[in-house]
Amino acid sequence: MTSTHAFWLAGRQVTGEDTFDVTSPWDGRLVGKVGVPSDAQVEEAVAAAYAVRDEFAATPAHVRAAALDHVSKRLVERTEEIAQLISAENGKPIKWARGEVGRAVSVFRFAAEEARRFNGGDAQRLDTDAGGQGRLALTRRFPKGVVLGIAPFNFPLNLCAHKVAPAIAAGAPIILKPAPATPLSGLILGELLAETDLPAGSWSILPVANDKMPALVQDERLPVISFTGSEKVGYAIMDSVPRKHCTLELGGNGAAVVLADYASDEDLDWVAGRIATFSNYQGGQSCISVQRVIADASVYERLLPRIVAAVEAQVTGDPSDPKTDVGPLVSEDAAKRVESWVQEAVEAGAALHAGGKRDGASYAPTVLTDVPSEATISCEEVFGPVLTVQKVNGEAEAFAAVNDSKYGLQAGVFTHDLQTAFRAHRALEVGGVVVGDVPSYRADQMPYGGVKQSGVGREGVKFAMDDYTYERVLVLTGLAL
């Protein structure tokens, strides 16, 4: 019998009067039932977070750090259980789900470390002008208030961790809204946080429906919104609350550039393997998966068949099988959308080298060339296991092709030349440049985010803490400096 998962209201477990079903995108089986907060319960959670904001901001760093350390350790202890849950509700292959739990372990550990050292300030002597004689300015950072964290389905544990852990580390209460398709992984964090001594009201996890989100977004008691998801929804949120502080981690169509000096057989085998893996990991449902391969003409003819072979070697199927590389997309509708975009490109003249087939919610890993620049799959984020390969002549043309996009999240550049690496860092209009690898690399402590339509602000524990806080200056007078 499938259990009903309660939600977390101001630190306590609550069962809603209504429930909704969470089903597996792989086989449609019922994974769990989830309680739905009523409007009154949502109001209670927001009121509790608002009421505790000053107390929580003043909570000693060691208390917050101990809570974060506890969650990190408990995630380690429950790794396999949680990975199985991620795989069941998301369709993510179990090997990638285990990796996601490992990343969440690190996020909470990093947050514990930052909680112990974070003050965000410095001391500045003011007697550089005569009017400041005997004065010293001390700068510290304080929470802006309650954070509304809105998480997506593609990393249902780790991207919830990226909302919750920095808020707790900074002393900011948080209301977490997990994705309706994948709420169970986020609710697990509630079980672990409930084992800590954090003050009541400092966190709630509310699996509310998407149509309830506008009321939360508009609530003036929630001055900070941290959203990860689609460009359309993210900018609609920002436009609706122009006076709130919004951090938006939105879409991308990640490019992997392969330059002429990456020309040995060993180089090209490495490139093809990395591209095949990271265009298809998570079913391509990652903002930094490889969507565009931009290859110099001198290596293109040797690289393309390697990519096709490596993509065709990806193991597709049951996500619970440790051998599976590529599972289903989050829903059949998502797979149908990917299918329609590929069909549109092929009908417009693109060449299909691998894949191009859908089976329910699963879509075969796909490689396209000669894709028209105006095709949807060239312009938008496919969020599926599809990559395009194009030929360019030289570094300048390659970098221009990367920048010919409304998105700018991350890019990978395969080069051995240090000067080229620095030129790429200067030229590419993205939030991160990864040299010698695909754009899909992300360390959870580094600043992560984009430019252009890929969003504003940065994730990464310390950088999110900066977004959740503001500087406040204290001027001391009459000092013998």
Side-chain angles (χ1 to χ4, degrees), residues 147-347:
V147 176
L148 172 60
I150 304 170
F153 68 81
N154 56 328
F155 289 85
L157 177 71
N158 196 45
L159 291 182
C160 284
H162 269 287
K163 308 301 181 191
V164 172
I168 292 173
I174 181 163
I175 306 284
L176 175 68
K177 179 198 176 300
T182 56
L184 303 180
S185 305
L187 291 172
I188 284 283
L189 292 179
E191 295 181 25
L192 308 184
L193 289 167
E195 298 169 354
T196 72
D197 295 325
L198 295 175
S202 58
W203 59 274
S204 291
I205 302 175
L206 305 178
V208 298
N210 286 340
D211 61 6
K212 299 288 186 180
M213 191 167 66
L216 279 170
V217 167
Q218 293 291 331
D219 198 305
E220 293 183 356
R221 294 167 294 179
L222 309 176
V224 179
I225 298 174
S226 177
F227 173 85
T228 302
S230 72
E231 170 198 356
K232 179 180 178 181
V233 176
Y235 283 114
I237 289 173
M238 176 176 278
D239 291 344
S240 73
V241 285
R243 290 179 177 82
K244 287 194 176 190
H245 181 88
C246 295
T247 64
L248 306 177
E249 197 283 283
L250 307 177
N253 54 3
V257 175
V258 188
L259 294 176
D261 67 308
Y262 240 77
S264 71
D265 289 340
E266 182 180 4
D267 282 341
L268 296 180
D269 288 343
W270 160 257
V271 170
R274 297 297 284 177
I275 286 171
T277 296
F278 288 98
S279 63
N280 296 296
Y281 84 127
Q282 327 293 336
Q285 297 170 124
S286 168
C287 297
I288 47 176
S289 65
V290 182
Q291 182 171 334
R292 298 182 293 154
V293 178
I294 299 166
D296 188 84
S298 64
V299 298
Y300 177 88
E301 299 299 337
R302 294 166 58 215
L303 177 61
L304 178 59
R306 285 175 161 89
I307 290 175
V308 172
V311 167
E312 290 179 332
Q314 294 285 297
V315 178
T316 62
D318 186 346
S320 67
D321 187 338
K323 296 179 182 178
T324 297
D325 299 311
V326 187
L329 275 69
V330 73
S331 68
E332 187 169 354
D333 284 344
K336 287 180 177 178
R337 177 190 55 76
V338 173
E339 179 182 43
S340 70
W341 287 14
V342 172
Q343 288 176 343
E344 176 200 51
V346 171
E347 289 170 1

Side-chain angles (χ1 to χ4, degrees), residues 49-50 52-54 56-57 142-148 167-168 170-175 202 220-225 245 467-470 472:
Y50 186 75
V52 81
R53 68 194 190 285
D54 291 338
F56 193 41
F142 293 87
K144 293 173 180 174
V146 184
V147 176
L148 172 60
I168 292 173
I174 181 163
I175 306 284
S202 58
E220 293 183 356
R221 294 167 294 179
L222 309 176
V224 179
I225 298 174
H245 181 88
D467 263 324
Y468 294 170
T469 58
Y470 69 97
R472 186 186 298 168

